Amino acid sequence: MQKFLFITVLIITCAACNKKTVESTGFSVTTDKDAYALADTIRFSFTGNPYYLTFYSGEPYHKYEYNDRVTADGVPQLQFNTAMTTGSQTNTLKLLVSTDFSGVYDSTNIYQATWTDVTSKAKLATNSTATDAGVIDLSQFITGDHPVYVAFKFTGTAGSAQRTWTIKSVALSNVLADSTTYSLLGIGESTAGFKSVAMKAPGVAWTISTSQLQIKGGTTTSSPEAEGWVISKPLNLKKVLPDTGTPLKNMTTTLASFTYIYGAPGAYKATFVAANINRYDAKSEVKDVDITVQ
């Protein structure tokens, strides 16, 4: 009797083990040919029925080899435009960059940081006409560990009407050699991307919205000395987003083939990731198909 119970328990245990283990996907993929004309419909034919199937076309932003990449060497490019009104004071706006700012947005920490003046790299407005600053290369500030901060500093001297500055279309991007571009900072981030610090005259401070940064200096001859900073969030100038794939199926569906049209000539490595997954086990296979579009 005890022997019978032991065998029964063993069978049940083994059955439970089998339920926890998934089978290999048995997945493969083929195409009719390797080269296609532009705008041809390419049919990828499948064998096997994996629980999940994801497609990476091999086009920019959709390459499997970069599916877990979060940094890449590129050129950090800053762009914005400015407009200036009121007053006659000169040299009242500066563009600054720091690699050692503490991230504490107060006067003490701002003054303790080292700020490099890169205003000369930008074309600033001389009147109320919006002026593009140009493309400003910040490659010299790429650091290994410490984040980078970009700031606009306004100053106004006492005794005369001070300037009003409006900055729009602020955008900082990491541009890679293959022309893929990743946003690092944008005006649309509003107060999530920028913080304002009034250093002297409390009433003279940058206002931040999803469309612009603006500071209004004093408008009379009795206006006190003013200084206001608007500083970006911490920035990793090498940041990118992982490339993404397109989910084609899950456990509830079957799929014998898939069609795709490439939008530009080139050599592509189409990648399919097949996976069988449950809470206890996972098995996956990665299959590449080289495609030439002429």
Side-chain angles (χ1 to χ4, degrees):
M1 181 66 177
Q2 288 181 337
K3 183 177 181 181
F4 174 79
L5 289 174
F6 174 78
I7 294 173
T8 302
V9 170
L10 183 61
I11 292 172
I12 293 172
T13 302
C14 290
C17 290
N18 289 336
K19 289 181 180 179
K20 292 181 180 180
T21 303
V22 297
E23 297 179 354
S24 62
T25 67
F27 177 78
S28 65
V29 53
T30 58
T31 55
D32 296 332
K33 51 188 178 179
D34 298 328
Y36 295 84
L38 185 63
D40 275 357
T41 298
I42 302 172
R43 180 174 296 277
F44 298 93
S45 299
F46 307 141
T47 59
N49 184 35
Y51 295 177
Y52 302 97
L53 185 61
T54 303
F55 169 64
Y56 293 81
S57 68
E59 295 166 295
Y61 307 105
H62 304 290
K63 296 182 179 182
Y64 176 72
E65 62 187 302
Y66 299 141
N67 80 94
D68 58 357
R69 182 181 66 172
V70 293
T71 61
D73 292 329
V75 179
Q77 297 182 352
L78 175 65
Q79 300 180 69
F80 57 90
N81 67 58
T82 58
M84 179 186 65
T85 58
T86 72
S88 59
Q89 297 182 11
T90 59
N91 300 319
T92 58
L93 182 68
K94 291 188 180 298
L95 173 63
L96 307 170
V97 181
S98 177
T99 59
D100 65 3
F101 176 53
S102 68
V104 178
Y105 294 79
D106 61 24
S107 59
T108 299
N109 284 274
I110 291 171
Y111 286 145
Q112 285 178 346
T114 303
W115 295 92
T116 301
D117 188 341
V118 293
T119 311
S120 61
K121 292 188 175 186
K123 182 179 180 181
L124 300 182
T126 57
N127 52 40
S128 61
T129 301
T131 302
D132 287 333
V135 178
I136 302 161
D137 184 346
L138 299 183
S139 296
Q140 71 186 89
F141 301 104
I142 294 175
T143 60
D145 299 316
H146 199 279
V148 174
Y149 295 83
V150 176
F152 293 99
K153 175 187 176 183
F154 167 84
T155 55
T157 57
S160 65
Q162 298 165 356
R163 297 291 194 180
T164 291
W165 282 96
T166 303
I167 304 174
K168 295 186 177 183
S169 302
V170 181
L172 175 61
S173 302
N174 184 14
V175 182
L176 306 191
D178 63 1
S179 297
T180 52
T181 301
Y182 299 87
S183 176
L184 305 177
L185 178 69
I187 190 62
E189 296 179 58
S190 185
T191 53
F194 302 89
K195 293 188 184 298
S196 172
V197 182
M199 307 289 268
K200 294 184 178 177
V204 179
W206 289 91
T207 58
I208 302 167
S209 73
T210 56
S211 61
Q212 66 181 30
L213 309 172
Q214 187 177 71
I215 191 165
K216 296 180 179 181
T219 58
T220 68
T221 56
S222 61
S223 299
E225 182 183 6
E227 181 179 333
W229 292 61
V230 61
I231 305 174
S232 74
K233 65 183 182 182
L235 301 165
N236 178 351
L237 298 183
K238 297 176 69 173
K239 180 182 176 181
V240 298
L241 295 176
D243 280 26
T244 58
T246 301
L248 298 184
K249 74 174 297 292
N250 57 33
M251 293 179 66
T252 65
T253 59
T254 59
L255 189 66
S257 64
F258 168 71
T259 58
Y260 192 76
I261 299 173
Y262 285 90
Y268 300 95
K269 184 181 292 294
T271 302
F272 294 84
V273 181
N276 287 348
I277 302 171
N278 65 19
R279 61 183 297 185
Y280 304 107
D281 190 21
K283 290 185 174 67
S284 63
E285 294 184 74
V286 178
K287 301 293 185 181
D288 294 326
V289 181
D290 291 321
I291 299 292
T292 300
V293 178
Q294 301 169 331

